[in-house]
Amino acid sequence: MNEIRWDVGEVLDYDYTYQYVPPTDQSSGNTNNLFTIKVRTATSIFDNEVFDVRPSNINLKQIPLVGEFVLIYKTFNEYTSKSSRREGWYYVTTIDVHSNINENLLPGITGDLTDTEIANIKPGKTFKSKAVSPLQPYEGDFLLEGRYGNSIRFGSSINTTYPEKYYHVGPTWFSPSSDNDGDPIIILSNGRNNLTNKEFVIENIEQDASSLYLTSTQVVDTSILSKDLNIHGYSYVGSQFIGAADRIILRAKKDIAVIDSEMAIVLNTPGEIYIGGEDDPRPMAHGDVLLTVLQKILNQLTTTIQCGTMSGTFLDQTNIIAAQKELNNLLSQKYYINKT
């Protein structure tokens, strides 16, 4: 077996990387070369040759832009057998030339191009560069950051007694006790306020466009709620599933949707609540008001009825008495509605 050969390549193009080309009788299309990019080597070992390079990990894709650099290596391809060795090139990762989350372009340095030609090189067909701030890392974190201010943090509780001593900015979640340091947390965040000059930022459930927090023992400030939780409060220490966005839609496509809780379910809004649809809204009755109205009607039915010079009562008040007893069961001890 030949030695694996390594090089650095400048990305020139990606042909059919973002398209599917079906196989024909004359061609295999691109089904054997999915996500292939075209690179030119940057060292003198291969004399600035141009290669088609496939990703080394097809399950984890970070397709580089034109003008970025990738680490590449050469090893066997799909045509290799026990009796015959065939080789191909693969790329591992984009080289972080500028420490830039959004793009790391350094185009034209591997070819014999003029300054004007280099200035006219675009990173792709549709890609638009933008300023994106990197996430503040904490010791032990595993971060997945997209080019556009979207990320997944596999982190933990951090001792924030003196955060400025160790970190540029402290976390927006905290633990009620130092004994919880190192407890896991997962944060999926999309759309943050980016700062200038690559300054570290941190997820913020109030300011980010949308967020999903999976906590273990951390406390997350959910002051974004439209109404305060006066009974249950914010200081819950156990695991939480917290999501925030401008609109939230949950749909069960085949079976029932279940919201289950051992303690309580709160529909917390200063606006309307629709049950069954919003096309023909019909107001719900307030139980305490309904109880008062029915009680007054029943009380009136048991009083003396005056009709001209004649007076009297209902001869049979069995149903009235039974209805008054049933009124005690009208108000639920579990389900409550805000009185408008």
Side-chain angles (χ1 to χ4, degrees):
M1 180 179 290
N2 297 330
E3 293 183 357
I4 296 178
R5 289 176 286 180
W6 294 85
D7 207 328
V8 174
E10 178 186 347
V11 180
L12 304 178
D13 203 349
Y14 26 69
D15 293 333
Y16 298 106
T17 296
Y18 295 98
Q19 297 178 346
Y20 171 72
V21 182
T24 64
D25 293 338
Q26 293 78 30
S27 170
S28 62
N30 68 344
T31 56
N32 288 335
N33 292 282
L34 295 178
F35 317 112
T36 296
I37 62 176
K38 191 178 295 295
V39 304
R40 182 167 47 226
T41 57
T43 68
S44 60
I45 299 177
F46 297 102
D47 298 323
N48 299 118
E49 292 185 53
V50 175
F51 299 121
D52 288 330
V53 186
R54 284 188 264 178
S56 60
N57 186 345
I58 199 170
N59 301 109
L60 181 62
K61 299 177 185 66
Q62 185 189 16
I63 300 174
L65 300 170
V66 172
E68 291 186 325
F69 282 79
V70 290
L71 182 65
I72 63 176
Y73 66 94
K74 190 175 186 181
T75 186
F76 55 82
N77 62 19
E78 72 274 23
Y79 299 111
T80 297
S81 65
K82 293 177 64 175
S83 59
S84 176
R85 180 182 175 89
R86 298 290 184 270
E87 295 182 327
W89 285 93
Y90 302 84
Y91 70 88
V92 180
T93 183
T94 303
I95 297 176
D96 187 13
V97 177
H98 300 298
S99 292
N100 193 318
I101 294 295
N102 185 245
E103 51 88 358
N104 284 276
L105 305 182
L106 194 64
I109 68 171
T110 64
D112 186 16
L113 304 178
T114 65
D115 292 342
T116 301
E117 290 173 326
I118 292 175
N120 289 329
I121 293 177
K122 298 183 181 300
K125 305 296 190 297
T126 63
F127 180 83
K128 301 296 183 183
S129 299
K130 63 180 298 185
V132 176
S133 299
L135 273 183
Q136 168 71 61
Y138 301 107
E139 290 182 343
D141 281 357
F142 175 57
L143 302 178
L144 292 176
E145 295 188 65
R147 294 182 185 268
Y148 310 103
N150 37 19
S151 62
I152 302 177
R153 179 191 296 270
F154 297 86
S156 68
S157 298
I158 303 296
N159 188 329
T160 56
T161 305
Y162 305 103
E164 68 280 358
K165 182 177 179 181
Y166 304 107
Y167 304 112
H168 175 68
V169 58
T172 53
W173 61 94
F174 65 93
S175 296
S177 169
S178 60
D179 294 337
N180 300 126
D181 290 348
D183 285 353
I185 185 171
I186 298 176
I187 302 175
L188 190 154
S189 174
N190 182 56
R192 291 185 289 274
N193 293 327
N194 296 299
L195 304 177
T196 59
N197 200 27
K198 305 174 187 175
E199 184 177 346
F200 289 160
V201 296
I202 190 65
E203 301 95 335
N204 189 308
I205 196 171
E206 291 192 47
Q207 299 176 3
D208 296 347
S210 55
S211 307
L212 184 63
Y213 285 64
L214 300 178
T215 75
S216 55
T217 60
Q218 298 81 10
V219 175
V220 179
D221 182 9
T222 53
S223 60
I224 57 172
L225 294 180
S226 56
K227 298 174 65 178
D228 290 337
L229 294 178
N230 295 321
I231 297 177
H232 301 96
Y234 301 114
S235 58
Y236 185 70
V237 178
S239 63
Q240 299 185 76
F241 179 98
I242 304 173
D246 292 339
R247 172 177 284 195
I248 296 176
I249 298 175
L250 300 176
R251 182 191 175 203
K253 295 178 64 176
K254 294 289 186 180
D255 206 81
I256 62 173
V258 178
I259 300 177
D260 181 72
S261 171
E262 285 291 326
M263 179 177 292
I265 295 175
V266 179
L267 298 178
N268 190 21
T269 175
E272 295 83 10
I273 296 177
Y274 298 92
I275 298 177
E278 59 179 358
D279 295 335
D280 183 23
R282 305 187 184 202
M284 296 181 65
H286 293 294
D288 55 344
V289 176
L290 180 60
L291 175 64
T292 301
V293 172
L294 293 177
Q295 185 66 65
K296 288 180 178 180
I297 293 174
L298 292 177
N299 289 341
Q300 186 65 41
L301 292 177
T302 59
T303 60
T304 300
I305 302 173
Q306 184 71 39
C307 184
T309 59
M310 305 292 293
S311 64
T313 60
F314 290 101
L315 296 178
D316 187 355
Q317 297 188 5
T318 303
N319 290 332
I320 297 176
I321 296 172
Q324 286 179 323
K325 291 181 179 179
E326 286 297 324
L327 284 182
N328 296 327
N329 299 322
L330 179 63
L331 299 184
S332 173
Q333 301 300 309
K334 284 189 175 181
Y335 307 107
Y336 304 91
I337 183 173
N338 184 42
K339 190 173 181 180
T340 58

